[in-house]
Amino acid sequence: TPARDVLSPSQRDFIYEQCAPEFELFGWER
Amino acid sequence: MIASRKHGFIFIKTMKTAGTSIELALSTVCGPDDILTPIGVEHDRLRADAGIEPRNFSDTLEARYLKALRKRNNKLMRPVLRELEASGLWAHALPDAIKARVGRKFWKSAVKVASERHPYEKALSRAYHSYRKTTPFAEHLDRVVFEERFYIGHRYYIQGGKVIAGFFVRHNLLNEDFARLCNRLALPSLKLP
């Protein structure tokens, strides 16, 4: 199961907020 | 963390990104003056069995740690590891602590290497590995995501909005990127354990 599908939307949003610089640097999907 | 003057690189170890595998592989080519921080009880015992010991990481804790490691005494190793973590210059040392130990000149000239992985995967990996079945998994995952936050990587390789790492080993391309790293640093082709 992809990690994205195990995490809840609120968990994903929180992780994105904490990791915004690396999401941008690596071009990862939210 | 590894700081290798011999090969001109600093390996900054992020969490849950195969950092230990990379560290074990890079350890094998380091010289006597390079800095190798302890990894942890089990991995240091394994590394010591192969003739490689942590070194040059602390003026105050190193002798105690090596004595305990040579005796294979986990009970004596663990408190030193905790003190080392509190000191900041431990396996997952942040850039400022590394810079203070290696000096500004080497810090500037070395290739800074970090490994990285999608934060969702890091959070899940941490949650699965630390889950002890004493609480529901969903509750445990909440704690990992909202409280522990071990998945945050940027503080290891971005400072003042600038990327300080010169090379990334991406977890989804681990073997390919590690081979490129060996090539970039002119190392023999090392195998990841």
Side-chain angles (χ1 to χ4, degrees):
Chain A
T1 312
R4 180 176 290 100
D5 298 342
V6 179
L7 295 160
S8 68
S10 66
Q11 288 170 336
R12 292 198 302 265
D13 286 347
F14 186 80
I15 292 173
Y16 178 76
E17 279 171 28
Q18 299 293 309
C19 300
E22 51 260 49
F23 270 90
E24 188 183 341
L25 178 64
F26 291 97
W28 286 316
E29 277 183 55
R30 275 184 82 167
Chain B
M1 188 278 289
I2 294 176
S4 175
R5 288 180 193 276
K6 183 179 175 187
H7 296 291
F9 73 84
I10 293 171
F11 176 60
I12 305 170
K13 189 181 183 186
T14 54
M15 293 182 174
K16 310 310 297 177
T17 61
T20 297
S21 287
I22 296 168
E23 194 172 24
L24 288 170
L26 291 175
S27 293
T28 62
V29 293
C30 287
D33 298 327
D34 292 348
I35 298 172
L36 275 70
T37 55
I39 300 175
V41 168
E42 284 168 26
H43 287 109
D44 278 329
R45 287 177 61 151
L46 268 178
R47 200 160 56 161
D49 289 342
I52 300 164
E53 289 183 331
R55 52 190 176 262
N56 307 312
F57 58 90
S58 169
D59 298 334
T60 53
L61 298 170
E62 192 162 318
R64 249 174 80 203
Y65 191 72
L66 290 179
K67 192 175 170 190
L69 173 61
R70 286 167 190 163
K71 285 184 176 171
R72 300 292 192 269
N73 188 327
N74 297 359
K75 277 188 182 167
L76 291 177
M77 289 165 77
R78 288 201 178 96
V80 188
L81 288 169
R82 283 195 291 273
E83 283 181 58
L84 199 62
E85 180 175 350
S87 81
L89 200 90
W90 64 306
H92 297 284
L94 289 166
D96 286 346
I98 301 171
K99 206 185 296 181
R101 182 77 186 169
V102 303
R104 187 169 286 273
K105 197 176 168 192
F106 180 65
W107 173 262
K108 272 189 92 171
S109 68
V111 178
K112 269 80 73 186
V113 179
S115 49
E116 196 44 293
R117 180 182 191 183
H118 196 296
Y120 295 166
E121 292 174 17
K122 286 195 281 184
L124 252 294
S125 171
R126 169 71 188 173
Y128 281 121
H129 282 111
S130 60
Y131 186 50
R132 295 292 175 266
K133 295 184 181 174
T134 50
T135 53
F137 183 73
E139 209 174 291
H140 177 66
L141 185 56
D142 263 351
R143 190 161 50 244
V144 168
V145 170
F146 297 114
E147 293 171 32
E148 287 187 352
R149 298 184 290 168
F150 285 148
Y151 49 78
I152 300 172
H154 61 86
R155 57 190 173 180
Y156 291 97
Y157 51 77
I158 296 178
Q159 280 198 310
K162 278 182 66 179
V163 179
I164 56 161
F167 196 100
F168 285 104
V169 177
R170 296 160 294 179
H171 190 272
N172 58 322
L173 295 166
L174 183 59
N175 288 307
E176 295 94 320
D177 280 355
F178 188 67
R180 283 196 308 112
L181 175 66
C182 292
N183 192 40
R184 163 87 184 267
L185 298 173
L187 302 176
S189 66
L190 301 169
K191 278 218 165 124
L192 290 169

